[in-house]
Amino acid sequence: MPKKILITGGAGFIGLHLARRLAAEHDVTLLDDFSRGRVDPDLEELRRSVTVITHDLTLPMPQDLPRDFDEVYHFAAVVGVQYSNEEPERVLRTNLLTTIHLLDWFSGLDGATLCFASSSEAYAGSVEAGQAPIPTPEGVPLVVADPTVPRSSYGFSKIAGEVLCRNYAAAHGFPLRMVRFHNVYGPRMGYEHVIPQFIERLLAEKDPFEVFGADQRRAFCYVTDAVEAVIALTALPDRETLLVNVGNDEEEILIEDLAKKVFAVVGRNPALAAHPAPPLSPVRRLPDLTLLRELTGHRPKVGLEEGLSLTYAWYLGAAAERIQAG
Ligand SMILES: NC(=O)c1ccc[n+]([C@@H]2O[C@H](COP(=O)([O-])OP(=O)(O)OC[C@H]3O[C@@H](n4cnc5c(N)ncnc54)[C@H](O)[C@@H]3O)[C@@H](O)[C@H]2O)c1
């Protein structure tokens, strides 16, 4: 049975991959203010099979939006370490207002399921306080990270978003999925994250090649795997709130080794210059995915090497388009 699905932040990275996957079977609407999501060939292609609404969700939802959605994925947010460092007030204002407006509207729907995109950054304070085991399960007590460090704005906005969603769901009785994404990567993820930054600097032939936080460890999840996990979670018949880590725990890697893997994919071998990580960036991040597996049987399909190659191919194409456009 085709479902009617709304994705806020649908022109962004994960939102667009999710829309692409769902549009084959379902009636999909994207809502985005295009503050970061772009009108590019990927979106133009998708536009043939989805409805696109341009709207700034720091304002209430459009009055004329249909109310018969089966699933709503709330992914709109200001995302990324760079923005939380440089514009913490925008991160907080946008991420809180978009969620409140979405919830005010969603509470009036009948029978729809809400999926809220939270983040591994919700654990940042707990990790700092030494209260988060690794791999980190969903149930660890959350600690608010140092509020004097601008970077904490993003994690705080995600914790507050979870608390808002949880309480609206309790008050209005709707099914809720809250997914804490961990290091999702892939084509069209922007240029603010570690993997595209490595690729861009290699394409620019940087040598020596600087790597910040080279001694940190992460586990990266290819975007189509993350998308399969959230679709499976949202489709579950459970009426109650589910809070679930989404990521890939199978190939944890040192950032220095990640850089070397990207060198191999791009076919370059610059001298690596290792630097310390910025404040509040956890030394190690790894999700405990027991609950995701129990609920959905999910297993990632795309390994790191294949995912890096697919990502590189997209960025190479985007770089060629930029050169062509002058
Ligand atoms: N990518 C990751 O690894 C990751 C990790 C943890 C959590 N998340 C969460 O997943 C969600 C999607 O992340 P992403 O990586 O696709 O980010 P993204 O920046 O690519 O997508 C977010 C989208 O929201 C839109 N948006 C921002 N402000 C808006 C507003 N006021 N009104 C309407 N739209 C607005 C942007 O234009 C953008 O297209 C976000 O909520 C993010 O916090 C992502």
Side-chain angles (χ1 to χ4, degrees), residues 8-16 31-38 55-59 74-80 83 90 94-95 98 116-121 154 158 179-185 188-190 193:
T8 76
F13 166 47
I14 306 177
L16 188 123
L31 182 148
D32 205 293
D33 70 346
F34 292 89
S35 53
R36 210 189 81 76
R38 286 170 302 279
H55 179 73
D56 175 0
L57 203 42
T58 60
L59 303 168
H74 176 43
F75 285 11
V78 178
V79 184
Y83 294 120
R90 184 164 83 91
T94 304
N95 295 1
T98 53
F116 171 66
S118 186
S119 168
S120 55
E121 284 290 318
Y154 176 70
K158 288 295 168 182
V179 293
R180 289 186 179 149
F181 284 123
H182 284 63
N183 290 92
V184 181
Y185 76 103
R188 201 179 178 272
M189 71 182 298
H193 303 269

Side-chain angles (χ1 to χ4, degrees), residues 226-245:
V227 158
E228 291 305 326
V230 291
I231 291 174
L233 284 166
T234 306
L236 289 172
D238 307 56
R239 295 282 314 161
E240 72 265 30
T241 292
L242 300 174
L243 169 64
V244 186
N245 286 333

Side-chain angles (χ1 to χ4, degrees), residues 84-100:
S84 22
N85 280 329
E86 292 170 9
E87 300 176 78
E89 81 293 359
R90 184 164 83 91
V91 168
L92 284 162
R93 182 173 191 281
T94 304
N95 295 1
L96 292 178
L97 282 178
T98 53
T99 302
I100 289 169

